[in-house]
Short mmCIF file of all heavy atoms in Angstrom, two decimals:
data_model
loop_
_atom_site.label_atom_id
_atom_site.label_comp_id
_atom_site.label_asym_id
_atom_site.label_seq_id
_atom_site.Cartn_x
_atom_site.Cartn_y
_atom_site.Cartn_z
N MET A 1 0.84 -1.19 -0.03
CA MET A 1 0.01 0.01 0.00
C MET A 1 0.87 1.24 0.01
O MET A 1 1.89 1.31 0.66
CB MET A 1 -0.89 -0.01 1.25
CG MET A 1 -1.75 1.15 1.39
SD MET A 1 -3.41 0.61 1.34
CE MET A 1 -4.21 2.15 1.29
N MET A 2 0.45 2.22 -0.74
CA MET A 2 1.24 3.46 -0.88
C MET A 2 0.87 4.42 0.27
O MET A 2 -0.29 4.62 0.58
CB MET A 2 0.97 4.09 -2.22
CG MET A 2 1.83 5.26 -2.51
SD MET A 2 1.57 6.00 -4.13
CE MET A 2 2.01 4.67 -5.18
N SER A 3 1.89 5.02 0.87
CA SER A 3 1.62 5.97 1.94
C SER A 3 1.09 7.26 1.39
O SER A 3 1.25 7.57 0.20
CB SER A 3 2.87 6.22 2.77
OG SER A 3 3.81 6.98 1.99
N MET A 4 0.40 8.04 2.22
CA MET A 4 -0.11 9.32 1.78
C MET A 4 1.01 10.31 1.38
O MET A 4 0.81 11.14 0.56
CB MET A 4 -0.97 9.90 2.92
CG MET A 4 -2.25 9.16 3.18
SD MET A 4 -3.31 8.98 1.70
CE MET A 4 -3.93 10.63 1.60
N THR A 5 2.19 10.18 2.00
CA THR A 5 3.28 11.05 1.63
C THR A 5 3.73 10.80 0.24
O THR A 5 3.91 11.72 -0.56
CB THR A 5 4.47 10.77 2.63
OG1 THR A 5 4.04 11.05 3.92
CG2 THR A 5 5.62 11.69 2.25
N LYS A 6 3.88 9.50 -0.13
CA LYS A 6 4.29 9.19 -1.51
C LYS A 6 3.23 9.61 -2.49
O LYS A 6 3.54 10.08 -3.58
CB LYS A 6 4.53 7.68 -1.64
CG LYS A 6 5.77 7.24 -0.92
CD LYS A 6 6.00 5.73 -1.04
CE LYS A 6 7.18 5.29 -0.24
NZ LYS A 6 7.33 3.78 -0.31
N LEU A 7 2.00 9.40 -2.16
CA LEU A 7 0.90 9.78 -3.03
C LEU A 7 0.87 11.29 -3.22
O LEU A 7 0.63 11.78 -4.32
CB LEU A 7 -0.48 9.28 -2.44
CG LEU A 7 -1.65 9.43 -3.34
CD1 LEU A 7 -1.53 8.65 -4.58
CD2 LEU A 7 -2.89 9.00 -2.61
N GLY A 8 1.12 12.04 -2.14
CA GLY A 8 1.18 13.49 -2.26
C GLY A 8 2.34 13.98 -3.11
O GLY A 8 2.20 14.92 -3.87
N VAL A 9 3.45 13.32 -3.04
CA VAL A 9 4.61 13.66 -3.84
C VAL A 9 4.30 13.42 -5.33
O VAL A 9 4.56 14.24 -6.20
CB VAL A 9 5.87 12.90 -3.45
CG1 VAL A 9 6.98 13.04 -4.43
CG2 VAL A 9 6.36 13.36 -2.05
N ILE A 10 3.68 12.30 -5.65
CA ILE A 10 3.32 11.96 -7.00
C ILE A 10 2.26 13.00 -7.58
O ILE A 10 2.39 13.44 -8.67
CB ILE A 10 2.75 10.51 -7.10
CG1 ILE A 10 3.88 9.54 -6.83
CG2 ILE A 10 2.11 10.29 -8.44
CD1 ILE A 10 3.46 8.14 -6.68
N ALA A 11 1.28 13.31 -6.75
CA ALA A 11 0.27 14.30 -7.15
C ALA A 11 0.94 15.66 -7.40
O ALA A 11 0.64 16.35 -8.34
CB ALA A 11 -0.79 14.41 -6.10
N GLY A 12 1.83 16.06 -6.52
CA GLY A 12 2.54 17.33 -6.66
C GLY A 12 3.39 17.37 -7.92
O GLY A 12 3.48 18.38 -8.63
N MET A 13 4.06 16.26 -8.22
CA MET A 13 4.84 16.15 -9.45
C MET A 13 3.98 16.27 -10.68
O MET A 13 4.30 16.97 -11.66
CB MET A 13 5.68 14.89 -9.49
CG MET A 13 6.80 14.87 -8.49
SD MET A 13 7.63 13.33 -8.37
CE MET A 13 8.25 13.12 -10.04
N ALA A 14 2.79 15.59 -10.65
CA ALA A 14 1.90 15.69 -11.80
C ALA A 14 1.37 17.10 -11.99
O ALA A 14 1.33 17.59 -13.13
CB ALA A 14 0.70 14.71 -11.57
N LEU A 15 1.05 17.79 -10.90
CA LEU A 15 0.60 19.17 -11.00
C LEU A 15 1.76 20.08 -11.54
O LEU A 15 1.51 20.98 -12.28
CB LEU A 15 0.08 19.66 -9.68
CG LEU A 15 -1.30 19.07 -9.24
CD1 LEU A 15 -1.52 19.47 -7.80
CD2 LEU A 15 -2.37 19.51 -10.15
N GLY A 16 2.95 19.83 -11.04
CA GLY A 16 4.07 20.63 -11.48
C GLY A 16 4.33 20.43 -13.00
O GLY A 16 4.56 21.40 -13.72
N PHE A 17 4.33 19.19 -13.46
CA PHE A 17 4.47 18.97 -14.91
C PHE A 17 3.40 19.60 -15.72
O PHE A 17 3.61 20.21 -16.76
CB PHE A 17 4.59 17.47 -15.22
CG PHE A 17 5.92 16.90 -14.91
CD1 PHE A 17 6.06 15.87 -14.02
CD2 PHE A 17 7.07 17.33 -15.54
CE1 PHE A 17 7.31 15.31 -13.74
CE2 PHE A 17 8.31 16.76 -15.29
CZ PHE A 17 8.41 15.75 -14.36
N ALA A 18 2.16 19.51 -15.26
CA ALA A 18 1.03 20.08 -15.98
C ALA A 18 1.18 21.59 -16.03
O ALA A 18 0.93 22.18 -17.07
CB ALA A 18 -0.29 19.67 -15.31
N GLY A 19 1.57 22.19 -14.91
CA GLY A 19 1.76 23.64 -14.90
C GLY A 19 2.89 24.11 -15.79
O GLY A 19 2.79 25.13 -16.45
N TYR A 20 3.97 23.34 -15.80
CA TYR A 20 5.15 23.74 -16.56
C TYR A 20 4.92 23.56 -18.07
O TYR A 20 5.20 24.45 -18.85
CB TYR A 20 6.35 22.92 -16.14
CG TYR A 20 7.62 23.31 -16.84
CD1 TYR A 20 8.30 24.46 -16.47
CD2 TYR A 20 8.15 22.52 -17.86
CE1 TYR A 20 9.48 24.83 -17.12
CE2 TYR A 20 9.26 22.89 -18.53
CZ TYR A 20 9.96 24.06 -18.18
OH TYR A 20 11.09 24.41 -18.83
N PHE A 21 4.43 22.44 -18.46
CA PHE A 21 4.26 22.12 -19.88
C PHE A 21 2.93 22.62 -20.48
O PHE A 21 2.87 22.91 -21.68
CB PHE A 21 4.40 20.66 -20.15
CG PHE A 21 5.79 20.15 -19.92
CD1 PHE A 21 6.04 19.33 -18.84
CD2 PHE A 21 6.83 20.48 -20.71
CE1 PHE A 21 7.37 18.83 -18.59
CE2 PHE A 21 8.15 20.08 -20.49
CZ PHE A 21 8.38 19.22 -19.41
N GLY A 22 1.87 22.70 -19.68
CA GLY A 22 0.60 23.09 -20.21
C GLY A 22 0.05 24.40 -19.80
O GLY A 22 -0.95 24.85 -20.29
N GLY A 23 0.72 25.04 -18.89
CA GLY A 23 0.30 26.37 -18.45
C GLY A 23 -0.70 26.25 -17.28
O GLY A 23 -0.98 25.16 -16.76
N PHE A 24 -1.23 27.40 -16.90
CA PHE A 24 -2.06 27.48 -15.69
C PHE A 24 -3.39 26.76 -15.92
O PHE A 24 -3.92 26.13 -15.00
CB PHE A 24 -2.33 28.94 -15.34
CG PHE A 24 -3.01 29.09 -14.04
CD1 PHE A 24 -2.43 28.76 -12.82
CD2 PHE A 24 -4.34 29.59 -14.00
CE1 PHE A 24 -3.07 28.88 -11.63
CE2 PHE A 24 -4.99 29.73 -12.77
CZ PHE A 24 -4.36 29.40 -11.62
N GLY A 25 -3.94 26.81 -17.12
CA GLY A 25 -5.19 26.08 -17.41
C GLY A 25 -5.06 24.61 -17.23
O GLY A 25 -5.93 23.97 -16.60
N ALA A 26 -3.95 24.07 -17.70
CA ALA A 26 -3.75 22.58 -17.54
C ALA A 26 -3.52 22.26 -16.07
O ALA A 26 -3.97 21.22 -15.60
CB ALA A 26 -2.53 22.16 -18.35
N PHE A 27 -2.87 23.17 -15.36
CA PHE A 27 -2.65 22.95 -13.90
C PHE A 27 -4.06 22.84 -13.20
O PHE A 27 -4.24 21.95 -12.40
CB PHE A 27 -1.83 24.12 -13.33
CG PHE A 27 -1.74 24.06 -11.82
CD1 PHE A 27 -0.80 23.34 -11.23
CD2 PHE A 27 -2.57 24.87 -11.06
CE1 PHE A 27 -0.69 23.34 -9.84
CE2 PHE A 27 -2.49 24.89 -9.71
CZ PHE A 27 -1.51 24.09 -9.09
N LEU A 28 -4.94 23.75 -13.51
CA LEU A 28 -6.26 23.73 -12.92
C LEU A 28 -7.06 22.46 -13.29
O LEU A 28 -7.74 21.88 -12.41
CB LEU A 28 -7.08 24.98 -13.30
CG LEU A 28 -6.56 26.27 -12.70
CD1 LEU A 28 -7.40 27.46 -13.21
CD2 LEU A 28 -6.55 26.27 -11.20
N VAL A 29 -6.93 22.06 -14.55
CA VAL A 29 -7.64 20.80 -14.95
C VAL A 29 -7.12 19.60 -14.19
O VAL A 29 -7.92 18.79 -13.70
CB VAL A 29 -7.55 20.62 -16.49
CG1 VAL A 29 -8.00 19.27 -16.90
CG2 VAL A 29 -8.34 21.69 -17.21
N VAL A 30 -5.82 19.49 -14.10
CA VAL A 30 -5.21 18.35 -13.38
C VAL A 30 -5.61 18.44 -11.90
O VAL A 30 -5.91 17.37 -11.31
CB VAL A 30 -3.71 18.33 -13.58
CG1 VAL A 30 -3.02 17.29 -12.69
CG2 VAL A 30 -3.36 18.05 -15.01
N ALA A 31 -5.59 19.62 -11.32
CA ALA A 31 -5.96 19.71 -9.90
C ALA A 31 -7.41 19.33 -9.68
O ALA A 31 -7.73 18.65 -8.69
CB ALA A 31 -5.68 21.15 -9.40
N ALA A 32 -8.31 19.75 -10.57
CA ALA A 32 -9.73 19.40 -10.43
C ALA A 32 -9.94 17.90 -10.57
O ALA A 32 -10.73 17.30 -9.83
CB ALA A 32 -10.52 20.20 -11.43
N LEU A 33 -9.27 17.32 -11.55
CA LEU A 33 -9.39 15.86 -11.77
C LEU A 33 -8.80 15.11 -10.60
O LEU A 33 -9.33 14.02 -10.23
CB LEU A 33 -8.77 15.45 -13.09
CG LEU A 33 -9.50 15.96 -14.33
CD1 LEU A 33 -8.70 15.56 -15.57
CD2 LEU A 33 -10.87 15.37 -14.40
N ALA A 34 -7.74 15.57 -10.03
CA ALA A 34 -7.13 14.89 -8.88
C ALA A 34 -8.07 14.98 -7.66
O ALA A 34 -8.23 13.97 -6.98
CB ALA A 34 -5.77 15.57 -8.54
N ALA A 35 -8.70 16.09 -7.44
CA ALA A 35 -9.67 16.20 -6.38
C ALA A 35 -10.87 15.29 -6.60
O ALA A 35 -11.35 14.64 -5.68
CB ALA A 35 -10.13 17.67 -6.21
N ALA A 36 -11.36 15.25 -7.82
CA ALA A 36 -12.50 14.35 -8.12
C ALA A 36 -12.09 12.90 -7.90
O ALA A 36 -12.84 12.13 -7.35
CB ALA A 36 -12.94 14.56 -9.54
N GLY A 37 -10.89 12.54 -8.32
CA GLY A 37 -10.39 11.14 -8.11
C GLY A 37 -10.24 10.83 -6.64
O GLY A 37 -10.54 9.72 -6.17
N PHE A 38 -9.79 11.84 -5.87
CA PHE A 38 -9.58 11.60 -4.44
C PHE A 38 -10.94 11.33 -3.76
O PHE A 38 -11.05 10.38 -2.99
CB PHE A 38 -8.92 12.89 -3.81
CG PHE A 38 -8.88 12.85 -2.32
CD1 PHE A 38 -7.94 12.05 -1.65
CD2 PHE A 38 -9.79 13.62 -1.57
CE1 PHE A 38 -7.91 12.01 -0.26
CE2 PHE A 38 -9.75 13.59 -0.19
CZ PHE A 38 -8.78 12.80 0.44
N PHE A 39 -11.96 12.15 -4.03
CA PHE A 39 -13.23 11.98 -3.41
C PHE A 39 -13.95 10.71 -3.93
O PHE A 39 -14.58 9.99 -3.16
CB PHE A 39 -14.15 13.21 -3.67
CG PHE A 39 -13.70 14.37 -2.83
CD1 PHE A 39 -13.24 15.50 -3.40
CD2 PHE A 39 -13.78 14.31 -1.46
CE1 PHE A 39 -12.79 16.57 -2.63
CE2 PHE A 39 -13.35 15.39 -0.65
CZ PHE A 39 -12.89 16.51 -1.27
N ALA A 40 -13.77 10.35 -5.17
CA ALA A 40 -14.31 9.10 -5.69
C ALA A 40 -13.68 7.91 -5.04
O ALA A 40 -14.35 6.94 -4.62
CB ALA A 40 -14.12 9.04 -7.22
N GLY A 41 -12.37 7.99 -4.84
CA GLY A 41 -11.67 6.88 -4.15
C GLY A 41 -12.14 6.75 -2.66
O GLY A 41 -12.30 5.63 -2.21
N ARG A 42 -12.26 7.86 -1.98
CA ARG A 42 -12.74 7.79 -0.62
C ARG A 42 -14.16 7.24 -0.55
O ARG A 42 -14.47 6.46 0.37
CB ARG A 42 -12.76 9.17 0.02
CG ARG A 42 -11.40 9.85 0.13
CD ARG A 42 -10.70 9.64 1.44
NE ARG A 42 -11.47 9.73 2.60
CZ ARG A 42 -11.31 10.50 3.64
NH1 ARG A 42 -10.26 11.31 3.58
NH2 ARG A 42 -12.03 10.41 4.68
N TYR A 43 -15.00 7.61 -1.52
CA TYR A 43 -16.35 7.06 -1.58
C TYR A 43 -16.36 5.56 -1.80
O TYR A 43 -17.06 4.81 -1.14
CB TYR A 43 -17.22 7.80 -2.61
CG TYR A 43 -18.56 7.23 -2.80
CD1 TYR A 43 -19.57 7.43 -1.84
CD2 TYR A 43 -18.89 6.48 -3.90
CE1 TYR A 43 -20.81 6.92 -2.00
CE2 TYR A 43 -20.13 5.96 -4.10
CZ TYR A 43 -21.10 6.18 -3.13
OH TYR A 43 -22.35 5.63 -3.29
N LEU A 44 -15.56 5.11 -2.78
CA LEU A 44 -15.54 3.69 -3.11
C LEU A 44 -14.88 2.87 -1.97
O LEU A 44 -15.21 1.70 -1.83
CB LEU A 44 -14.76 3.47 -4.39
CG LEU A 44 -15.49 4.01 -5.64
CD1 LEU A 44 -14.59 3.88 -6.85
CD2 LEU A 44 -16.80 3.30 -5.87
N ASP A 45 -13.99 3.44 -1.17
CA ASP A 45 -13.44 2.76 -0.06
C ASP A 45 -14.38 2.74 1.13
O ASP A 45 -14.10 2.11 2.14
CB ASP A 45 -12.13 3.43 0.39
CG ASP A 45 -10.99 3.11 -0.51
OD1 ASP A 45 -11.08 2.11 -1.28
OD2 ASP A 45 -9.96 3.82 -0.45
N GLY A 46 -15.50 3.45 1.07
CA GLY A 46 -16.46 3.51 2.18
C GLY A 46 -16.13 4.50 3.25
O GLY A 46 -16.71 4.47 4.32
N GLU A 47 -15.13 5.40 3.00
CA GLU A 47 -14.73 6.37 4.03
C GLU A 47 -15.52 7.68 3.91
O GLU A 47 -15.28 8.59 4.69
CB GLU A 47 -13.28 6.62 3.89
CG GLU A 47 -12.43 5.37 4.13
CD GLU A 47 -10.92 5.64 3.93
OE1 GLU A 47 -10.53 6.78 3.68
OE2 GLU A 47 -10.14 4.69 3.96
N LEU A 48 -16.37 7.80 2.89
CA LEU A 48 -17.03 9.06 2.66
C LEU A 48 -18.47 8.76 2.19
O LEU A 48 -18.67 7.91 1.34
CB LEU A 48 -16.32 9.86 1.57
CG LEU A 48 -16.83 11.17 1.15
CD1 LEU A 48 -16.65 12.17 2.29
CD2 LEU A 48 -16.15 11.68 -0.12
N GLU A 49 -19.39 9.46 2.76
CA GLU A 49 -20.80 9.32 2.40
C GLU A 49 -21.23 10.55 1.64
O GLU A 49 -20.77 11.65 1.93
CB GLU A 49 -21.66 9.17 3.66
CG GLU A 49 -21.44 7.92 4.46
CD GLU A 49 -21.84 6.67 3.71
OE1 GLU A 49 -22.84 6.73 2.93
OE2 GLU A 49 -21.13 5.68 3.81
N PRO A 50 -22.03 10.37 0.60
CA PRO A 50 -22.41 11.51 -0.24
C PRO A 50 -23.08 12.65 0.51
O PRO A 50 -22.91 13.83 0.20
CB PRO A 50 -23.38 10.93 -1.26
CG PRO A 50 -23.20 9.47 -1.21
CD PRO A 50 -22.60 9.14 0.12
N GLY A 51 -23.87 12.38 1.54
CA GLY A 51 -24.57 13.39 2.30
C GLY A 51 -23.72 14.18 3.24
O GLY A 51 -24.15 15.15 3.80
N GLU A 52 -22.48 13.82 3.43
CA GLU A 52 -21.58 14.48 4.40
C GLU A 52 -21.37 16.01 4.04
O GLU A 52 -21.16 16.80 4.91
CB GLU A 52 -20.27 13.80 4.54
CG GLU A 52 -20.36 12.49 5.30
CD GLU A 52 -19.02 11.86 5.57
OE1 GLU A 52 -18.01 12.61 5.60
OE2 GLU A 52 -18.96 10.64 5.75
N PHE A 53 -21.46 16.31 2.83
CA PHE A 53 -21.22 17.70 2.43
C PHE A 53 -22.47 18.56 2.53
O PHE A 53 -22.41 19.80 2.50
CB PHE A 53 -20.71 17.79 0.97
CG PHE A 53 -19.36 17.15 0.80
CD1 PHE A 53 -19.24 15.93 0.15
CD2 PHE A 53 -18.24 17.78 1.29
CE1 PHE A 53 -18.01 15.33 0.02
CE2 PHE A 53 -17.01 17.17 1.14
CZ PHE A 53 -16.90 15.96 0.52
N PHE A 54 -23.63 17.95 2.64
CA PHE A 54 -24.88 18.69 2.61
C PHE A 54 -25.59 18.74 3.98
O PHE A 54 -26.60 19.40 4.10
CB PHE A 54 -25.77 18.09 1.58
CG PHE A 54 -25.19 18.05 0.19
CD1 PHE A 54 -24.79 16.83 -0.37
CD2 PHE A 54 -24.88 19.23 -0.45
CE1 PHE A 54 -24.21 16.80 -1.63
CE2 PHE A 54 -24.30 19.21 -1.71
CZ PHE A 54 -23.95 17.99 -2.27
N ARG A 55 -25.13 18.02 4.93
CA ARG A 55 -25.74 18.02 6.31
C ARG A 55 -25.09 19.15 7.11
O ARG A 55 -23.91 19.46 6.96
CB ARG A 55 -25.43 16.70 7.01
CG ARG A 55 -26.32 15.58 6.56
CD ARG A 55 -26.17 14.39 7.50
NE ARG A 55 -24.80 13.88 7.50
CZ ARG A 55 -24.47 12.71 7.11
NH1 ARG A 55 -25.38 11.86 6.72
NH2 ARG A 55 -23.22 12.29 7.16
N PRO A 56 -25.91 19.75 7.95
CA PRO A 56 -25.30 20.76 8.87
C PRO A 56 -24.35 20.09 9.83
O PRO A 56 -24.55 18.97 10.29
CB PRO A 56 -26.49 21.37 9.59
CG PRO A 56 -27.64 20.46 9.37
CD PRO A 56 -27.33 19.60 8.20
N ARG A 57 -23.30 20.80 10.13
CA ARG A 57 -22.27 20.24 11.06
C ARG A 57 -22.74 20.34 12.50
O ARG A 57 -23.43 21.28 12.89
CB ARG A 57 -20.96 21.01 10.92
CG ARG A 57 -20.32 20.80 9.58
CD ARG A 57 -18.99 21.49 9.61
NE ARG A 57 -18.38 21.21 8.32
CZ ARG A 57 -17.56 22.03 7.75
NH1 ARG A 57 -17.16 23.16 8.35
NH2 ARG A 57 -17.01 21.75 6.59
N GLU A 58 -22.37 19.37 13.30
CA GLU A 58 -22.72 19.39 14.72
C GLU A 58 -21.71 20.25 15.47
O GLU A 58 -20.52 20.21 15.17
CB GLU A 58 -22.67 17.96 15.26
CG GLU A 58 -23.75 17.05 14.70
CD GLU A 58 -23.70 15.66 15.25
OE1 GLU A 58 -22.99 15.45 16.25
OE2 GLU A 58 -24.31 14.79 14.63
N ARG A 59 -22.17 21.01 16.39
CA ARG A 59 -21.30 21.90 17.11
C ARG A 59 -20.55 21.28 18.25
O ARG A 59 -19.66 21.85 18.84
CB ARG A 59 -22.08 23.08 17.62
CG ARG A 59 -22.60 23.98 16.51
CD ARG A 59 -23.32 25.16 17.08
NE ARG A 59 -23.95 25.91 15.98
CZ ARG A 59 -23.58 27.11 15.69
NH1 ARG A 59 -22.64 27.72 16.33
NH2 ARG A 59 -24.21 27.71 14.71
N GLY A 60 -20.99 20.07 18.62
CA GLY A 60 -20.33 19.41 19.77
C GLY A 60 -20.79 20.10 21.05
O GLY A 60 -21.86 20.50 21.20
N ASP A 61 -19.82 20.25 22.02
CA ASP A 61 -20.22 20.88 23.27
C ASP A 61 -19.61 22.22 23.37
O ASP A 61 -19.41 22.77 24.44
CB ASP A 61 -19.88 20.01 24.49
CG ASP A 61 -18.58 19.29 24.35
OD1 ASP A 61 -17.83 19.53 23.43
OD2 ASP A 61 -18.26 18.54 25.24
N ARG A 62 -19.34 22.90 22.23
CA ARG A 62 -18.94 24.31 22.28
C ARG A 62 -20.14 25.19 22.52
O ARG A 62 -21.17 25.04 21.92
CB ARG A 62 -18.30 24.72 20.98
CG ARG A 62 -16.89 24.23 20.83
CD ARG A 62 -16.17 24.85 19.67
NE ARG A 62 -16.98 25.49 18.69
CZ ARG A 62 -16.51 26.15 17.65
NH1 ARG A 62 -15.19 26.25 17.49
NH2 ARG A 62 -17.30 26.71 16.80
N GLN A 63 -19.99 26.12 23.41
CA GLN A 63 -21.07 27.09 23.66
C GLN A 63 -20.60 28.49 23.44
O GLN A 63 -19.41 28.80 23.59
CB GLN A 63 -21.54 26.95 25.11
CG GLN A 63 -22.14 25.58 25.42
CD GLN A 63 -22.59 25.52 26.86
OE1 GLN A 63 -22.43 26.46 27.58
NE2 GLN A 63 -23.12 24.34 27.19
N ARG A 64 -21.52 29.32 23.04
CA ARG A 64 -21.18 30.73 22.78
C ARG A 64 -21.32 31.57 24.01
O ARG A 64 -22.06 31.47 24.86
CB ARG A 64 -22.08 31.30 21.67
CG ARG A 64 -21.73 30.70 20.36
CD ARG A 64 -22.53 31.34 19.29
NE ARG A 64 -22.07 30.81 18.02
CZ ARG A 64 -22.42 31.31 16.85
NH1 ARG A 64 -23.25 32.30 16.83
NH2 ARG A 64 -22.02 30.80 15.79
#
């Protein structure tokens, strides 16, 4: 299994190459696709539920 550090280095290198050879637009496309792939992978691994982004957050026991 690949550690998150190695995965981050690979993602950073991919973004760097995209930015260098393709310009800023390619950098943004690669970054958006990487984020989509990250969330799809978390969902398929069962670590992310689709409704987590749309539910209100619980405040815990913090009081104002």
Side-chain angles (χ1 to χ4, degrees):
M1 177 119 189
M2 187 177 298
S3 71
M4 292 302 286
T5 302
K6 290 179 185 176
L7 188 63
V9 168
I10 291 170
M13 289 174 59
L15 288 171
F17 280 119
Y20 182 78
F21 291 110
F24 187 68
F27 173 83
L28 291 178
V29 168
V30 171
L33 291 174
F38 172 77
F39 287 114
R42 298 267 319 234
Y43 175 73
L44 292 174
D45 283 342
E47 298 176 8
L48 181 69
E49 293 295 323
E52 288 186 23
F53 294 107
F54 303 111
R55 284 192 296 243
R57 293 186 178 150
E58 296 179 12
R59 294 184 186 244
D61 38 7
R62 283 192 342 176
Q63 297 179 1
R64 290 185 174 189

